[in-house]
Amino acid sequence: ATMAAISFGDASAEGVNIIPSWQLTRESRDTSVQTLEITIAASETQTAARADAEVQTDEPELLEMPLVQPDAEELEDLLSFLHNVEPLVVAALEENLSTHAFDDYDVDWSENNEDEQCRYTLQHLPYRQQQCTSVSWNSTGAVLVAAFGRQDHTDWCTHKGGICTWNLDRSVNVHKAELAVDVLCCVCSVACHPELPSVVVAGTYNGEVLVVDCSQSNGQEIVFTTPLQYCHTEPVVQVCWSCSQDSRGRKSYKLLAAGGDGVVSVWNFKANKLELEAKHELHSSSVPRYLRSSRTPASLMGATAVSVNCESTDVFVAGTEGGCIVKGQLPQPGLATDAIIFAFQPHAGPVYTAAYSPLHRNAFLTCSTDGCVRLFSHFQVKPCLTFEVNEGYVLAADWSPARAALFACGSAEGNVHVFDLMANTSRPTLLLPGTQGTAVHTLRFCPKRPHLLAAGDASGCVRVWTLGRHANAVAHEDRTLDGIVQTGGD
């Protein structure tokens, strides 16, 4: 089929007009409004009249006292007296020239002649459920640093620990620390840097070593944490500093960290960071059999305390969980080396303190749960002196930094006993009472202010004691300690 063609053409239609509504006329109306008249009032005032007054003192009159002139009889008696005593005075002066009584005595005009007293009892209330595990003084002696955690773990650590500081030169809040640094686990030990006042290192229950810069804020105080591969596998029970000096007089600092895994790690400190230098293992096979206690394990001995010699900074002494006491020497840098070179007569329980004397290179103290404090020479197996406190465990001891023959220890009954070897070599000369039945876990003398002693206990309190006249220097006491160490206490 075919389609028909379609054609288109033009067409026209009418337009449509749409009228807009907006052009329509709109109605309008005028109105007005007026505010009320503003009332204005004026007022005047005048200050009270002033009065000036002056006063002047009279110039004082200087009275001249006449010089007393003795008469001839009195002058003759005075000359006779001087003539009679002259031989005695001259003889006494000549005797003083040959005496050595005051050879080692330096006059200290700032000596404190007061009695001992508890200056502060400090506590940080958010940590009131924790124990004070360690204390340390910063390099200026003004700031006290305390570590908080617990020492009664039976399993994994689920507590939160902390590090607190108090500046004793400022207004002290005894219930709140000036700075509190929260840590995710218990803190077992702290040690302030010997020269940098704001730097503190801490050992934790998880085996980490932390570097804390107290000058930081806003939660940024922890500036370094040891890498996981270099951490201890047991708690870091103690940290201490070692200082060495090269031929040019430049000082370098190392940190020793003792762990319950039987390892003493050595770290180089630089720019608020730690770099592992070596790990030294404490093998029981390096200890003679007769110097091992029945509690000594067959392999590695868990460290519980460490201290560096005051002169030979590569020599250290360490205490162990089994009661063994060993002396070690840091060899050339390396990993997993045995550093034990000497052993001492063991305690009957874990050794919680091993402390070299800061004033005698051969003397060190140890204390243990057997209730004894021992004074050793690091050349002799047997102790020079043994002190029995008779108050249960002895968990802490420290030497006075100013007096060679003075040291203190803390007992399980909460008391601090101060021993003065110049006065008595068997009994304490001073008792500083604490909270009854609350063990003293740590104590430390202040190196810059030797009359101050800080002690932390199991209730989370830190007591700061002023020893007063007991901290004053005594002539020849270094010779007394040297005599005890050389003769073995005989």
Side-chain angles (χ1 to χ4, degrees):
T2 59
M3 296 182 62
I6 300 174
S7 60
F8 295 92
D10 296 332
S12 61
E14 297 181 357
V16 178
N17 185 21
I18 300 175
I19 301 174
S21 61
W22 57 273
Q23 292 183 349
L24 297 178
T25 302
R26 296 179 182 272
E27 295 181 358
S28 61
R29 181 179 300 173
D30 296 333
T31 185
S32 61
V33 65
Q34 182 177 348
T35 60
L36 298 176
E37 182 181 0
I38 299 176
T39 304
I40 299 176
S43 178
E44 296 181 357
T45 183
Q46 184 175 350
T47 58
R50 294 182 178 180
D52 296 333
E54 296 180 358
V55 65
Q56 181 177 349
T57 59
D58 296 330
E59 184 178 357
E61 296 181 1
L62 299 179
L63 301 178
E64 295 184 0
M65 299 298 295
L67 182 63
V68 177
Q69 297 290 342
D71 55 23
E73 183 177 355
E74 292 177 346
L75 182 59
E76 184 178 355
D77 292 341
L78 177 61
L79 293 176
S80 176
F81 168 76
L82 294 177
H83 181 74
N84 292 334
V85 300
E86 179 184 5
L88 299 176
V89 174
V90 172
L93 292 175
E94 291 178 349
E95 183 180 357
N96 287 341
L97 294 177
S98 60
T99 183
H100 300 283
F102 300 98
D103 286 355
D104 299 326
Y105 180 73
D106 294 327
V107 178
D108 184 4
W109 301 107
S110 62
E111 284 186 350
N112 189 350
N113 294 318
E114 298 178 355
D115 292 333
E116 68 284 350
Q117 61 177 341
C118 183
R119 185 174 175 184
Y120 299 107
T121 299
L122 306 174
Q123 190 176 26
H124 188 59
L125 292 182
Y127 296 156
R128 59 182 175 274
Q129 300 299 326
Q130 306 294 338
Q131 301 171 345
C132 181
T133 56
S134 180
V135 293
S136 181
W137 297 88
N138 80 335
S139 59
T140 66
V143 177
L144 175 63
V145 180
F148 291 89
R150 297 201 67 85
Q151 295 187 346
D152 53 358
H153 295 88
T154 58
D155 205 340
W156 296 99
C157 179
T158 58
H159 314 101
K160 287 188 177 181
I163 302 171
C164 294
T165 67
W166 286 270
N167 191 327
L168 303 188
D169 284 348
R170 302 175 183 172
S171 178
V172 178
N173 187 341
V174 297
H175 299 297
K176 183 180 179 181
E178 183 174 341
L179 173 67
V181 181
D182 294 329
V183 182
L184 295 179
C185 63
C186 292
V187 182
C188 302
S189 57
V190 289
C192 295
H193 191 278
E195 287 189 354
L196 303 178
S198 63
V199 175
V200 182
V201 294
T204 69
Y205 187 84
N206 290 346
E208 298 174 327
V209 179
L210 311 177
V211 178
V212 180
D213 188 351
C214 299
S215 64
Q216 302 294 326
S217 58
N218 300 326
Q220 304 298 320
E221 294 86 0
I222 300 178
V223 296
F224 179 82
T225 304
T226 50
L228 182 61
Q229 65 269 27
Y230 297 143
C231 290
H232 288 258
T233 57
E234 294 288 340
V236 178
V237 293
Q238 191 165 2
V239 288
C240 64
W241 291 97
S242 171
C243 177
S244 59
Q245 194 170 354
D246 61 15
S247 58
R248 296 183 179 180
R250 294 177 298 186
K251 292 183 179 180
S252 61
Y253 290 95
K254 296 181 181 180
L255 180 76
L256 273 67
D261 52 1
V263 174
V264 177
S265 58
V266 183
W267 304 80
N268 290 315
F269 176 84
K270 188 176 182 180
N272 284 358
K273 293 185 179 180
L274 297 173
E275 180 182 351
L276 182 64
E277 177 182 290
K279 286 186 176 181
H280 306 296
E281 298 177 343
L282 303 180
H283 291 277
S284 60
S285 58
S286 301
V287 180
R289 187 176 298 274
Y290 75 98
L291 292 178
R292 303 181 202 170
S293 68
S294 59
R295 299 167 53 90
T296 303
S299 55
L300 292 179
M301 302 179 294
T304 51
V306 67
S307 179
V308 178
N309 191 277
C310 63
E311 294 186 8
S312 303
T313 56
D314 60 338
V315 175
F316 67 91
V317 63
T320 67
E321 294 176 345
C324 285
I325 307 164
V326 296
K327 180 174 67 173
Q329 186 169 11
L330 303 180
Q332 296 298 323
L335 295 179
T337 59
D338 188 1
I340 296 177
I341 59 175
F342 199 77
F344 305 89
Q345 181 177 312
H347 280 273
V351 179
Y352 279 93
T353 294
Y356 265 112
S357 169
L359 302 175
H360 197 293
R361 63 181 181 178
N362 297 334
F364 69 91
L365 289 172
T366 62
C367 66
S368 169
T369 56
D370 60 6
C372 293
V373 180
R374 293 179 178 176
L375 170 60
F376 281 93
S377 164
H378 75 174
F379 293 122
Q380 301 176 14
V381 173
K382 294 183 178 181
C384 302
L385 293 175
T386 299
F387 310 91
E388 295 185 0
V389 178
N390 297 324
E391 288 190 2
Y393 300 164
V394 183
L395 304 179
D398 192 34
W399 290 94
S400 167
R403 290 196 53 194
L406 188 74
F407 68 89
C409 65
S411 71
E413 293 298 320
N415 300 320
V416 175
H417 300 264
V418 180
F419 289 82
D420 187 350
L421 302 181
M422 293 291 290
N424 197 313
T425 57
S426 60
R427 295 182 180 180
T429 56
L430 181 63
L431 176 66
L432 306 177
T435 303
Q436 190 66 25
T438 304
V440 176
H441 284 170
T442 177
L443 59 85
R444 192 75 61 198
F445 281 92
C446 180
K448 296 295 183 180
R449 305 176 185 184
H451 62 284
L452 295 181
L453 173 65
D457 62 25
S459 67
C461 291
V462 182
R463 288 178 173 84
V464 179
W465 293 89
T466 301
L467 297 185
R469 55 187 175 84
H470 298 279
N472 294 340
V474 179
H476 306 306
E477 62 179 320
D478 54 337
R479 299 180 186 177
T480 299
L481 179 60
D482 188 62
I484 293 174
V485 170
Q486 289 187 2
T487 62
D490 296 333

